[in-house]
Amino acid sequence: MTDSLAVSVQPTAGEDVGEARSLAQDAWRSLRKNKIFWISVTLITAFVLMAVWPSLFTRTDPTFGDINNVRDTPSGAHIFGTDGQGYDIFARTIYGARASIIVGILTSLTTLIVGGVVGIVAGFYGGWIDAVVSRITDIFFAIPLLLGGILFMASFPNNPQSTPYLVIVGKVVLTLTIFGWPSIARLMRSSVLQVKPNEYVLAARALGASPLRIIRSHILPNALAPAIVVSTINLGGFIVAEATLSFLGIGLTPPAISWGVAISDALVAVRTYPHILLFPSLFLSLAVLAFILLGDAVRDAFDPKSR
Amino acid sequence: MGKYIVRRLLQMIPVVLGATFIIFAMVFALPGDPTAGKCGERPCSPEFVAKFREEHNLNDPLPVQYGKYLGKFVQGDLGTNYYGIPVKDDLAKRYTITGRLALMAIAFEAIIGILAGVLAGVRKGRFIDNLVTVSTLFVISIPVFVIGVLLQYLFGIKWGLFPATVPSLEASTWSLVLPAFVLGSLSIAYVARLTRTNLVENLRADYVRTAAAKGLTKSRAVGVHTLRNSLIPVVTFIGADFGGLLGGAIVTERIFNIQGVGGYIWKGINSRDGVAVVSAVTVLVIVYLLVNLLVDLLYGVLDPRISHD
């Protein structure tokens, strides 16, 4: 169905007339011309590079606190200035990308996987399985993300001195996944329900395809797009949630370097030294913005109605 | 309609049970000793600790504790917190102020959000549309606690336009304006974008063309025909957002020093006061589910094609 639709939308597309293009190929064509898509991709690439290889951007040691130069305004030596501990804000901001990007990307992936599997099971099998799975989804949906996150992080607190970095970050990812997957599951369930009655699924079933095969090669490719788009948009929300938990003092905690930690430290001195707040917030907002814009652009590209 | 409501209420029971059990289990896992610091400077006597643990069922295994708690909860007894104060009295006071805060935030969402969305949707591609689209993106990408602290500083302290903090539980509506705006800021942006998207989509529908062909003015075509249809997803969002608002209140209340439910939950977590936290959250979950039921019933009002029979 999608193939025929894609062809009928652009019946005379130059030299590849007659060649059936998939919805994904069509989406890619319109994405390629979208300026916002390229801006967000560039920003995301920069942030991922920062997360993977921070020394590419700065040679300053982010853990070196120069007590003689606290709360310096931006200057030649420290282009973003220094914070309350005399740390170079530019270096801290670059190194801080890692926590936010890991939390954002990992949480989006895990919620997509958990929510996706749950949604497919509920939507595809239906009946009592759907009833049970949907109620479980409702249970987790009824607990607000931030509230559940606060309770969970408070129940299993970090010991900042001894807990390894990856465990601390992993715990934030786990928390946000536990309370973040239901929205994806609901979305996935409804898109599976839309795809399931289609003729090609009936045909596959009539030909004797196993449920697993039907899901893998028919349901999944046609029902996944909305979930991926929402996951991308949610990614920004997860970055903000991590920062909020850190603001409350229970997400990432010093000595871990993150934008959330930097922002909550800076808020204390916002009246006198606003520049300490500006740079980490700016980077955080740019990262959130980049993922939201990417999600928007991809959604528009996949949505035939908007063409 | 009545049948539908009953079915929905019955469906809520397992959800409430499951959600409260999860909360209960997490609170049960809270590290630390609830009797710590209860006896002033000296450590508590073993007798006191034994009595305290017995009174609050702390020696039972988790499911038994949960069962006992639930038994009392159904009878309307929310128990006493670890300081001996009935949780019900505390919650009633604190839910009043948080409820006011949340309702004001929703009013901001509905008024500013929908108005901005309609203005942008009707003048798609013009200046006002770009202004709304860009400024909402701006708000969405800044964490609420940064917005809160900045607005508190600018409006509350630097320019002194609004009260910077909320001093008491009987705070005036005026002093809640700034906190409610901060609490609702993210959702205002989402509501504006959602309204705009739906309006733009619906303005292309056949029935709008028919309305225009009949000679209706644009304001009537938009206000009466299109807006009503475009509002269904917006109402869904606002309803679903209610729970998020009550949760997000933890951050807002901390910034503006409001002694509401958010602060109560936060204090309960920090003093390992399980009963207080579980009761506060349970009420929150129930309120949230009821609001969602109300939203589903509203569909029928907004769109006569949807019926609940």
Side-chain angles (χ1 to χ4, degrees), chain A residues 87-104:
Chain A
Y87 296 130
D88 181 71
I89 295 178
F90 181 68
R92 298 285 278 189
T93 308
I94 297 290
Y95 277 83
R98 182 172 290 171
S100 296
I101 297 295
I102 292 182
V103 167

Side-chain angles (χ1 to χ4, degrees), chain A:
Chain A
M1 188 203 151
T2 46
D3 283 359
S4 63
L5 193 126
V7 171
S8 68
V9 167
Q10 290 183 323
T12 51
E15 43 197 36
D16 35 29
V17 172
E19 185 195 330
R21 282 203 312 271
S22 72
L23 185 66
Q25 281 167 313
D26 242 19
W28 172 237
R29 275 179 165 252
S30 71
L31 270 182
R32 252 187 343 203
K33 286 181 237 137
N34 189 340
K35 247 184 262 155
I36 291 180
F37 170 74
W38 287 112
I39 294 174
S40 54
V41 165
T42 315
L43 276 172
I44 290 170
T45 315
F47 285 125
V48 170
L49 257 181
M50 262 180 228
V52 178
W53 198 357
S55 53
L56 201 65
F57 295 83
T58 175
R59 302 207 162 175
T60 320
D61 179 8
T63 57
F64 173 69
D66 184 0
I67 297 296
N68 291 319
N69 290 312
V70 289
R71 304 200 183 101
D72 268 1
T73 41
S75 64
H78 305 285
I79 52 168
F80 285 1
T82 59
D83 70 2
Q85 304 289 338
Y87 296 130
D88 181 71
I89 295 178
F90 181 68
R92 298 285 278 189
T93 308
I94 297 290
Y95 277 83
R98 182 172 290 171
S100 296
I101 297 295
I102 292 182
V103 167
I105 291 182
L106 275 189
T107 314
S108 277
L109 274 180
T110 48
T111 47
L112 183 62
I113 293 168
V114 176
V117 170
V118 170
I120 287 175
V121 168
F124 186 76
Y125 290 101
W128 67 269
I129 299 183
D130 181 25
V132 171
V133 171
S134 290
R135 284 297 87 68
I136 296 176
T137 313
D138 285 351
I139 289 175
F140 282 89
F141 198 75
I143 305 174
L145 176 72
L146 198 55
L147 187 69
I150 290 170
L151 269 175
F152 192 89
M153 290 305 289
S155 300
F156 306 99
N158 301 315
N159 179 353
Q161 306 308 327
S162 62
T163 319
Y165 180 76
L166 276 180
V167 175
I168 300 182
V169 174
K171 220 184 293 180
V172 177
V173 173
L174 181 68
T175 311
L176 295 178
T177 307
I178 292 177
F179 299 103
W181 64 268
S183 59
I184 302 283
R186 284 186 171 190
L187 185 69
M188 199 67 200
R189 176 175 173 275
S190 63
S191 23
V192 169
L193 286 179
Q194 266 174 17
V195 173
K196 212 174 105 182
N198 281 338
E199 287 87 352
Y200 54 85
V201 179
L202 292 177
R205 185 169 293 167
L207 287 170
S210 69
L212 212 61
R213 189 186 156 77
I214 296 178
I215 290 176
R216 207 184 54 229
S217 45
H218 298 290
I219 304 266
L220 203 56
N222 290 301
L224 200 57
I228 290 180
V229 168
V230 171
S231 294
T232 317
I233 296 176
N234 279 351
L235 208 154
F238 291 133
I239 293 180
V240 172
E242 180 271 312
T244 310
L245 288 175
S246 301
F247 165 70
L248 292 169
I250 47 176
L252 301 177
T253 36
I257 304 170
S258 94
W259 292 334
V261 172
I263 291 172
S264 62
D265 283 347
L267 285 177
V268 185
V270 66
R271 283 158 212 180
T272 36
Y273 302 100
H275 73 276
I276 304 178
L277 174 66
L278 175 67
F279 296 107
S281 333
L282 185 71
F283 274 58
L284 183 124
S285 298
L286 277 179
V288 173
L289 203 60
F291 283 106
I292 293 177
L293 288 177
L294 179 69
D296 273 356
V298 174
R299 181 186 54 204
D300 288 349
F302 270 96
D303 182 9
K305 269 193 284 183
S306 72
R307 292 214 189 106

Side-chain angles (χ1 to χ4, degrees), chain B residues 50-193:
Chain B
K51 190 164 155 268
F52 186 90
R53 296 191 75 86
E54 186 54 40
E55 255 173 33
H56 293 100
N57 305 324
L58 292 178
N59 295 324
D60 298 328
L62 174 65
V64 178
Q65 269 193 45
Y66 179 66
K68 281 184 180 170
Y69 173 79
L70 212 60
K72 278 200 205 157
F73 188 88
V74 197
Q75 295 163 24
D77 176 11
L78 302 192
T80 58
N81 70 7
Y82 290 168
Y83 294 97
I85 304 164
V87 173
K88 215 177 181 174
D89 302 355
D90 254 356
L91 279 186
K93 268 187 264 166
R94 285 158 180 273
Y95 261 106
T96 318
I97 191 153
T98 303
R100 277 167 72 198
L101 191 66
L103 285 179
M104 284 169 72
I106 286 191
F108 276 128
E109 274 176 40
I111 298 168
I112 305 179
I114 294 178
L115 200 66
V118 170
L119 282 178
V122 174
R123 295 198 171 74
K124 189 181 179 227
R126 306 263 284 278
F127 172 74
I128 183 96
D129 182 27
N130 293 330
L131 182 74
V132 169
T133 319
V134 171
S135 58
T136 49
L137 264 182
F138 195 66
V139 172
I140 290 171
S141 65
I142 302 175
V144 171
F145 60 94
V146 175
I147 297 182
V149 172
L150 282 181
L151 290 191
Q152 182 189 38
Y153 171 55
L154 290 179
F155 288 94
I157 296 163
K158 203 171 179 189
W159 300 328
L161 297 173
F162 294 93
T165 54
V166 180
S168 71
L169 279 172
E170 286 86 31
S172 64
T173 306
W174 175 241
S175 66
L176 287 176
V177 168
L178 193 57
F181 184 78
V182 169
L183 181 60
S185 57
L186 184 65
S187 309
I188 294 174
Y190 276 122
V191 167
R193 290 173 73 85

